[in-house]
Amino acid sequence: YPYVTSSNPSIGSVLTGLGVSPTKLKGIYGTVKAYCTRVGEGPFPTELIPDGPQSIGYHLGTVGAEYGTTTGRQRRCGWLDIPQMQYSCLINGFSAINLTKLDVLTGLDEIKLGVSYKHQGKYLKSMPACLKSLSESEVEYEILPGWKEDISKCKTFEELPENAQNYVLRVQELLGVPIRWVGVGPNRLEQIDRGEKWDTSRD
């Protein structure tokens, strides 16, 4: 607050907003892009400024068609923020994750993952609750090699380029939650399902 959506996109709001009993939930699935976006103001530690057609911020916004559905306003884009995702996994208890828009990263020479925050020279154990601390935090990155191959026709995880597979697997490792679905294109059917063994609700 105040840089939040008017809705409450967490598992808790599903229970209270719809009146669903927790015992009825068989699986909890998180959907996240392969990079970060946000609309409007507020701290954005991994933000990439779109300062020209050759910039990565411009690439993500253009290739990913990152414009607000209602307003048409351009979304801010940045590298994937692992501490932010870890917090989301903590409060929601995901059974598996749907990682969308992996195809948007195609063509980048290298891809960064924001893996930790430092504030005033000290590492933070998690995403800070204080907006001032978040805005003042530095991000430490892990760099992975990118890929050039078109992945939109891939139907199985094994068909993805090795570097694309490694990116997904590294995100999964850092989160400690299986990534079951991987989006490889803008159409609904352009998605890889890795199967039930990547879904802890099936254990």
Side-chain angles (χ1 to χ4, degrees), residues 33-184:
K33 296 173 186 174
Y35 53 95
C36 274
T37 60
R38 73 175 301 164
V39 174
E41 300 178 4
F44 191 168
T46 62
E47 183 172 13
L48 294 163
I49 305 302
D51 52 357
Q54 302 305 315
S55 68
I56 297 174
Y58 182 89
H59 171 97
L60 296 178
T62 303
V63 178
E66 295 297 349
Y67 300 93
T69 305
T70 303
T71 64
R73 184 168 47 167
Q74 186 175 8
R75 297 188 182 107
R76 298 159 64 191
C77 299
W79 297 120
L80 197 60
D81 187 324
I82 295 299
Q84 188 181 86
M85 287 186 63
Q86 289 171 332
Y87 178 72
S88 181
C89 291
L90 174 67
I91 64 173
N92 288 291
F94 295 131
S95 309
I97 287 174
N98 174 22
L99 187 71
T100 69
K101 291 196 165 187
L102 184 67
D103 55 295
V104 175
L105 300 180
T106 298
L108 300 179
D109 293 328
E110 60 182 29
I111 301 168
K112 294 183 180 182
L113 286 171
V115 294
S116 61
Y117 294 148
K118 287 181 72 175
H119 183 252
Q120 298 180 349
K122 297 181 179 180
Y123 285 99
L124 301 179
K125 294 182 178 180
S126 62
M127 180 180 172
C130 173
L131 285 177
K132 185 175 184 294
S133 297
L134 184 61
S135 65
E136 295 172 347
S137 295
E138 300 175 21
V139 181
E140 287 212 342
Y141 291 97
E142 188 173 305
I143 301 175
L144 288 77
W147 60 91
K148 305 293 185 182
E149 302 92 331
D150 177 16
I151 65 172
S152 62
K153 301 296 188 294
C154 295
K155 302 299 182 185
T156 67
F157 187 74
E158 291 70 28
E159 291 177 20
L160 290 171
E162 183 179 0
N163 288 347
Q165 291 186 41
N166 289 339
Y167 180 78
V168 174
L169 293 174
R170 183 55 178 151
V171 173
Q172 178 177 266
E173 180 182 16
L174 289 167
L175 297 180
V177 178
I179 295 176
R180 176 172 176 175
W181 299 276
V182 180
V184 295

